[in-house]
DNA sequence: CATGAATGAGGCTTCATTCAT
DNA sequence: GATGAATGAAGCCTCATTCAT
């Protein structure tokens, strides 16, 4: 990864980097990037403050690294989930992806928080993050539109509608209410999306 | 307003407060709360840095003040727009509110940015902001559900779906692309929402 | 001056800048640039450490500023001394300049130390400093050579010979022995230079 | 040598110490003592950073060691050169010594740089370095004065005049211009010195 | 009301040095 | 002998806030 200063060469080093990342992810989520001091991170990681700088050139790089890394993982998991299902119904795949999204975010609330605040920590990455997701959606939507599965609405805007729904529902349930949405609730949201998207609901 | 230290007593004072607020709104949107120095604000406002503290007890208060003030104004405008229309179709009122939202946000991109980052500047206000909007929606939705106008889905989650759509569409168009969505585009988004919500589309 | 961040606008500010410069000049001479902390400077100047940064963007700039400022002053004083004498004998002017040099350096031992160490603090300025002096000498030497006053030796190298003599004599007397060379001693050094330079000693 | 922690006991150790010294000499000359990190030295020497501390107790000791070692070598070479010539003319011996000086310094620009900056790294050594050279000169000068070879000027000051000339000429040619002075140029400088010193030029 | 110089606590980062392997 | 990850004291610099004018 490009934001890292030194790849650990020993087991111990690997362990240390992992501890830094975990601590940083937690703290960025709990207190936000700016309110988190490097000393907070190293304290929680149980290392000295100089050690942080063996692995990262500065505080911002660790933020970018996490954003990249976690975003990567999320996309990978969603892709994997979709590939398991031998369906070519976009809506059914989307239902899977959405469930995966909530599962991942509830286990990595750090990602959610990190992305949310990245608009003012590192605007470049912020935009890139959403556009990468969006372009994945656009492809799927266009395919499904060709098949006549979903309605001929602007794919780019639709992708942001979907992301908006997922993000704000996650905000309400995970951040505000502190619990995962129930299957029943997810089903209702999916039902809203299905009707909105499908040519023949 | 509660976050203000001293209400201006003269014309000159009023003018000064207005200049501070305008500058702060712009800067919080451009650079974010943390990257904005009080000196940046006073510089752009064309005043000396001590003057800021005549009106606000500290930097955070000015943030809260703006968030409150702008949120208030937005809700007022939306309410006003809806009251002009003598319809009792929730969906038609919602279409109006949504247009008002995009108009307001494109003129006050500061509000958008301020709210977005408030999760890590002032989490209390952040939650309050969205829940206030949400509870307004919930009322309308429940009324409409009683009338059989819209489907019997969880009103709280629906409200976050709507806010998510509006916020992410605004993010894409106003922040990323730097332009208001066209009427055509808004119409498509509304069409998605209508089908998703209405009992008989 | 280019290395300064903010020109003081009030009497108090002027006073503060002066105190910073005096303290820095002393400390750079006593302990060297690297061993001098900004906190040392502000402590000696009797101000808080943040105040330093009102006037200088960083520690290095204060060093450059002093080097420029003091070098400027030295050249000005030497020039002034030479202009008072209505002679066109290069050697007599040189005798004056040399005396001025020792007087100035003994009052501003800071300059001496600053220039000496600048080779490793700010190599650019270091070279510029000596080449500026050298080019002044070269002109004078060439004029005197045209008049047949001094021998036809390479002017650039001669200029460095002269500077070398003055600097090392100052090193011995002012730095090592802690006293100004006596008139008698200066006279002997001049006598060495005179014989070395003059066509007809 | 006194500044060394442990004399190498094996061939490998000897080799390692040599590599450290070479790297340190280069780096102290290129970037200066303070800007050179121990890690820079070990990196260039191709060893790990802990190894440095097998041979030196700390960074400063390596500086002192080099200064001593190189100064020693320089004096030895000059002495050897002078002993080869069966002359008892101080000026002729001096001409030899000077040529040796420029040869040595151009091959060990590190020494030049190290001594120059030692005033602020290790003032003690700095003074000692020049006074050791000076006292050698004083003896030679006094002898020559007794013989009536050179003029009866203050020997201590004369020694600093000579060192000043050599050092500043080396500065100009080797450091600023990056080349050794030509024989012709050295000859001119010698001619200046000869006339300045000799009773009967 | 307004000014802007001054404050100083506190954050980020560096780097000489140590030590377990 | 050699390694290189870890340490942590310490320095540079920032910036919200104060206050004398």
């Amino acid at each position: 990864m490009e934001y890292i200063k030194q790849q650990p060469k020993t087991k111990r080093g690997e362990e240390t980097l992992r501890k830094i990342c975990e601590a940083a992810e937690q703290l960025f989520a709990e207190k936000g990037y700016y309110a988190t001091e490097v000393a907070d991170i190293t304290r929680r990681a149980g290392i000295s403050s100089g050690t942080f700088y063996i692995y990262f050139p500065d505080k911002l790089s660790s933020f970018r690294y996490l954003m990249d890394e976690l975003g990567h993982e999320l996309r990978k998991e969603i892709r994997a989930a979709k590939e398991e299902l031998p369906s070519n119904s976009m809506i059914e795949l989307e239902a899977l992806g959405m469930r995966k999204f909530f599962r991942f975010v509830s286990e990595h609330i750090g990602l959610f928080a990190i992305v949310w605040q990245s608009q003012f920590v590192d605007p470049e990455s912020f935009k890139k993050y959403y556009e990468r997701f969006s372009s994945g959606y656009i492809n799927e939507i266009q395919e499904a539109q060709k098949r006549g599965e979903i309605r001929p609405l602007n794919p780019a805007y639709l992708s942001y509608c979907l992301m908006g729904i997922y993000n704000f529902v996650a905000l309400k349930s995970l951040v505000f209410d502190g619990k995962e949405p129930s299957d029943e609730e997810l089903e209702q949201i999916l039902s809203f999306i299905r009707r909105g998207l499908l040519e023949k609901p």
Side-chain angles (χ1 to χ4, degrees), chain A residues 79-106:
Chain A
R79 214 181 311 121
K82 288 182 177 175
E83 275 162 8
E84 274 177 22
L85 189 81
S87 156
N88 55 4
S89 150
M90 186 226 160
I91 276 292
E92 289 326 304
L93 290 172
E94 191 49 30
L96 264 182
M98 168 180 147
R99 286 196 188 89
K100 204 67 202 166
F101 172 83
F102 281 98
R103 175 67 30 84
F104 189 92
V105 169
S106 81

Side-chain angles (χ1 to χ4, degrees), chain A residues 24 28 41 52 56 58-67:
Chain A
F28 288 156
I41 298 174
F52 179 90
F56 293 103
D58 49 33
K59 186 183 163 190
L60 181 55
S61 297
S62 71
F63 182 87
R64 286 184 173 142
Y65 178 73
L66 283 174
M67 187 157 164

Side-chain angles (χ1 to χ4, degrees), chain A residues 138-150:
Chain A
I138 291 177
N139 284 337
E140 294 178 17
I141 290 170
Q142 287 174 330
E143 292 300 315
Q145 287 176 329
K146 274 185 209 147
R147 285 196 306 272
E149 181 188 345
I150 77 169

